[in-house]
Amino acid sequence: LVIGNECFSNSNSNGRTLKNFFIGWPKENLAQFYIHDCVPDKSVCDNYFQVSDKQALNAFLGRKNSDDGAKDTSLPNARTTQGRNAFTMLVRTVIWNSNRWKKYGFDKWVDSFSPDLIVVQVGDSPFTLRLSRKTAKKRRIPIVLYNSENFYFKKYDYFRATGFPHLLYPLFRKVYRSELKAII
């Protein structure tokens, strides 16, 4: 089971890298959970489960999800830096950690796949680390971390925020580091 922000894809660097790790693996041995809206590459894997930030927010607020294509800016879009700061990322973490989004069938999907291992594409989202850790613990399987980013080591506010969001950066960093350390 691969957990990450991006799906196996040719359209972005993280998706391409993940895809290349698994070229040649039997498709029936791979499944992927991802967050960003993108079209998954079916040449490597046929078993995908996607929940977007918008769907997680709607589940958190008890609203129904609609497929009307309306742009939702309530959560930071991880593909842009607009709106991304320690405050919005902490709010995003609370929303995802509520697990209300799991009503879409995540646990049933994981159980039906029955993974032997979880590979985590480490991003700057503490909730993906927590999800991976809890999923692995429940199923008593190991986790492999893949990280190609250096933000974990940055002590300064790499969101380049000012004001209140900037003041929350140490808290965001603490939350992130504690989730990562819980896995290691």
Side-chain angles (χ1 to χ4, degrees), residues 51-180:
V51 177
S52 68
D53 282 329
K54 181 178 180 179
Q55 290 172 315
L57 176 62
N58 285 339
F60 183 79
L61 297 174
R63 298 188 299 208
K64 287 190 173 194
N65 281 301
S66 64
D67 294 321
D68 60 8
K71 183 169 170 69
D72 179 56
T73 58
S74 302
L75 286 177
N77 181 341
R79 294 179 184 269
T80 67
T81 57
Q82 183 180 12
R84 281 187 82 187
N85 57 54
F87 175 73
T88 58
M89 294 300 278
L90 285 167
V91 169
R92 185 178 187 225
T93 298
V94 168
I95 290 167
W96 279 94
N97 283 350
S98 75
N99 290 327
R100 293 178 187 164
W101 61 270
K102 284 188 173 182
K103 73 179 185 177
Y104 301 120
F106 174 79
D107 288 323
K108 186 176 178 180
W109 174 75
V110 172
D111 289 340
S112 70
F113 177 64
S114 188
D116 297 317
L117 171 76
I118 296 177
V119 175
V120 183
Q121 175 196 20
V122 178
D124 61 359
S125 305
F127 60 85
T128 57
L129 298 171
R130 183 177 192 187
L131 172 65
S132 302
R133 180 174 48 85
K134 291 192 175 272
T135 302
K137 184 176 180 180
K138 180 178 180 183
R139 289 158 182 84
R140 297 181 183 169
I141 58 176
I143 297 175
V144 174
L145 298 173
Y146 160 67
N147 184 14
S148 62
E149 307 289 343
N150 68 351
F151 54 79
Y152 175 79
F153 301 103
K154 295 180 179 176
K155 294 182 181 179
Y156 63 89
D157 184 352
Y158 63 91
F159 295 119
R160 295 179 179 87
T162 59
F164 181 67
H166 175 70
L167 296 175
L168 289 177
Y169 182 75
L171 177 60
F172 171 76
R173 188 167 188 267
K174 181 178 181 180
V175 169
Y176 181 85
R177 291 175 68 95
S178 68
E179 289 295 344
L180 190 56

Side-chain angles (χ1 to χ4, degrees), residues 8-23:
F8 298 133
S9 167
N10 287 323
S11 62
N12 65 66
S13 59
N14 282 324
R16 248 187 326 272
T17 301
L18 280 174
K19 176 186 164 187
N20 288 335
F21 284 154
F22 297 101
I23 289 176

